[in-house]
Amino acid sequence: MKKKWLALVLAAAMLTTMLTGCTDTTEGEDTGSAATEESSGGTAAEDAEGGEEESADAGDAVSLDLYLNFTWFPTDSWTGIIPEELTKNGGVKFDVTRTADSSQLGLMIASGDLPDVIFTDSEMDRLCDSNLCYSYDELIEQYGIDWQPSEDRIAIAKSHNANADDDHFYTIIQNYNSAEDWANANENVVGGPPCAYYRKDIWEALGSPAMDTKEDVLNVLKMVKEKYPDMIPLCGGNPTWRFKVMSLWFGVSNEYVMENDRVIYKDTAANFHEYLKYINQLYREGLFPEENLAITNEDDAKQQAIGGQCFMYEWNGRPTQMAQIQTDLEKNVEGGEWAPLVYVKENEPEVSVNSGWAGVFISRNCKDPEAAIKMIAYMNSEEGQHLALWGREGIDWTMGDDGMPVFSEEWKETVKDSEKMTSTFNNNYFMCTTELTEQYTYYAGVEQEILDAFGKNRPEKQIHPEISIASPVSSSDEGVIRAKIDEAREAELAKIYTAKSDEEFEAAYTDYMALLDKIGVQQLNDYMTEKVVEVKEAFGF
């Protein structure tokens, strides 16, 4: 079976190459890994280098295919100390394939040639189908698995079912925590907002000007352009995070926003117009090059940051990721230093709509569904989550009094180098972890000065998971509208971003709003407003 679906993947990749040229669309979102000492006395790196010969436990494990439906996923190998430990405890060794482009999973679904296990954030409603995938609840009952997901997580999983009458659940969505969980979380954990990393060394050379407001940031970028004419003030090239931190400032970072007792698509919100004006001003001041908008590969944009070509770079707001780009910058720029800018003083309220964003599915083609559900149950357990992200308890980490892990010195040193982390520990398999478990990975043991920098000007956080739960499935009328908007959106926004005058800006904006109306955005807004009310009542939010 693997040969059949792998052949389909290769065929799709060849077709994509023929249609689009040889553009590399891989987006690198490094999540970090780990390293520390083994009880034998050797370092984790030494153990990893000597670990090619499989242990008896690994030899006895069931081998299953794992398809990662993310071009940017940091690894495509089930190697390293953490995967080996997961195999030993969970009984499965994964043969990993990372997708080459976003269309491949859809082709595999259409053909029925699915791999054993799929980790994806798209096509989930199509995979929530008993003809294609096993339901978790049936496998749990059939094989007597000691795992009972919480009611809210089961309900979230069922919300992805294309058939509303289907009472089974086919996945558990990872990266979710309830509002109660967040209320009891360590106060230093910001979450995972977009962040504008800026060159602190250059900022200090400019006299450390204020960067507390949106206007302050604009002025500093203009100073960079004047004093360092060969430097890009703002890298707008990261396709995943492009202008995301600015959208956070204006309160339009989520796909849907609350406005006047309605839940609407963000591009139709009043603040979105103001956000676009700000981006257009950045462009007209020459603070980011138009060529940045054509970048489709996150690594290409990242090279501008670590190569010393830009002053400000947008990425995920995580201390460990700042440490990684700092390590890479130091290889190229002596004395270069990054610092984080997440919020500004006039920041709109921060609204988290997260109800998880990806899930693991067991296809009907799976060679051993019992082994698959046992492995997934283990990786969803507290022990499994901690192992997947933090390494081995007692060796790589111990639990601190504040409820956050205390990592070994070797781990803390190695986390600064993403390649070494992946080759040694490989803590990239966050398939079954909660949001807080993941965030503690990035914030534990970080110096208070850095934590304060990430949280500076932080507004009160509002949590509304009902908004993402209400999002329409792709096969519904509203889901089709949403897909059509996605198809048109980037090209239309590029016209607005790069307008040469106020008149051209308003004309491009008006044209985009007319296009959204033609596609059916008001129907989508009506649906979301009504559906959110239903979800709040059903979940008790």
Side-chain angles (χ1 to χ4, degrees), residues 305-323:
I306 64 179
Q309 297 168 260
C310 67
F311 170 77
M312 186 172 284
Y313 175 69
E314 292 183 277
W315 203 20
N316 214 337
R318 297 169 176 171
T320 53
Q321 286 185 298
M322 186 178 77

Side-chain angles (χ1 to χ4, degrees), residues 117-426:
V117 179
I118 306 106
F119 181 41
T120 181
D121 66 340
S122 63
E123 306 284 9
M124 289 198 287
D125 56 316
R126 295 178 69 188
L127 291 171
C128 290
D129 183 333
S130 60
N131 294 312
L132 292 175
C133 293
Y134 289 99
S135 69
Y136 278 23
D137 50 302
E138 289 177 305
L139 291 178
I140 289 170
E141 181 178 0
Q142 180 178 351
Y143 296 114
I145 307 299
D146 184 19
W147 177 38
Q148 181 57 47
S150 63
E151 291 184 6
D152 57 342
R153 299 194 76 187
I154 291 174
I156 290 170
K158 289 181 179 180
S159 73
H160 291 275
N161 292 358
N163 180 2
D165 296 327
D166 187 348
D167 199 41
H168 297 292
F169 61 98
Y170 297 84
T171 187
I172 287 296
I173 308 300
Q174 55 80 255
N175 201 247
Y176 167 74
N177 281 99
S178 67
E180 182 179 357
D181 293 334
W182 274 104
N184 295 321
N186 188 292
E187 63 181 9
N188 284 319
V189 176
V190 172
C195 177
Y197 296 101
Y198 66 94
R199 286 283 300 278
K200 185 179 179 182
D201 55 310
I202 292 176
W203 173 72
E204 290 177 340
L206 292 172
S208 305
M211 282 205 295
D212 283 325
T213 68
K214 296 187 284 285
E215 190 66 26
D216 287 343
V217 174
L218 178 68
N219 290 332
V220 170
L221 293 175
K222 289 165 66 175
M223 292 172 66
V224 171
K225 180 187 176 184
E226 180 181 353
K227 299 292 185 181
Y228 301 90
D230 295 331
M231 175 169 278
I232 299 171
L234 170 64
C235 174
N238 190 324
T240 305
W241 299 97
R242 183 176 290 139
F243 309 137
K244 283 288 182 68
V245 73
M246 290 80 182
S247 70
L248 177 70
W249 300 344
F250 285 90
V252 289
S253 59
N254 297 315
E255 185 173 9
Y256 303 100
V257 300
M258 296 176 291
E259 184 176 276
N260 299 326
D261 298 322
R262 286 174 57 78
V263 177
I264 61 176
Y265 184 65
K266 66 178 180 181
D267 291 13
T268 61
N271 276 6
F272 194 75
H273 179 267
E274 299 308 304
Y275 155 74
L276 291 176
K277 285 180 64 177
Y278 187 79
I279 302 302
N280 178 243
Q281 185 178 6
L282 293 174
Y283 172 76
R284 285 160 64 180
E285 294 282 0
L287 303 180
F288 69 87
E290 187 171 349
E291 293 76 17
N292 271 185
L293 303 180
I295 294 176
T296 59
N297 183 337
E298 185 171 290
D299 280 343
D300 289 342
K302 188 178 178 182
Q303 288 303 316
Q304 295 183 358
I306 64 179
Q309 297 168 260
C310 67
F311 170 77
M312 186 172 284
Y313 175 69
E314 292 183 277
W315 203 20
N316 214 337
R318 297 169 176 171
T320 53
Q321 286 185 298
M322 186 178 77
Q324 289 169 2
I325 60 171
Q326 177 64 35
T327 297
D328 290 336
L329 178 68
E330 289 172 357
K331 297 174 183 177
N332 300 303
V333 180
E334 184 177 355
E337 182 179 359
W338 289 107
L341 174 65
V342 180
Y343 308 102
V344 291
K345 283 184 176 179
E346 71 268 55
N347 213 107
E348 290 293 322
E350 182 184 10
V351 179
S352 171
V353 302
N354 185 36
S355 62
W357 60 274
V360 180
F361 294 83
I362 304 171
S363 83
R364 285 286 177 178
N365 297 332
C366 184
K367 295 185 288 290
D368 193 333
E370 179 180 6
I373 192 65
K374 285 182 177 179
M375 182 66 163
I376 291 168
Y378 174 72
M379 292 182 70
N380 271 276
S381 70
E382 183 176 275
E383 177 186 310
Q385 291 187 51
H386 290 173
L387 173 58
L389 290 177
W390 305 347
R392 299 155 299 176
E393 184 174 8
I395 300 174
D396 311 313
W397 65 276
T398 57
M399 188 63 77
D401 294 336
D402 58 358
M404 296 175 70
V406 178
F407 290 113
S408 70
E409 289 302 315
E410 188 174 358
W411 175 292
K412 288 188 288 187
E413 184 61 29
T414 310
V415 76
K416 299 174 184 178
D417 188 325
S418 60
E419 291 184 4
K420 187 176 181 180
M421 294 295 283
T422 294
S423 64
T424 304
F425 256 72
N426 200 358

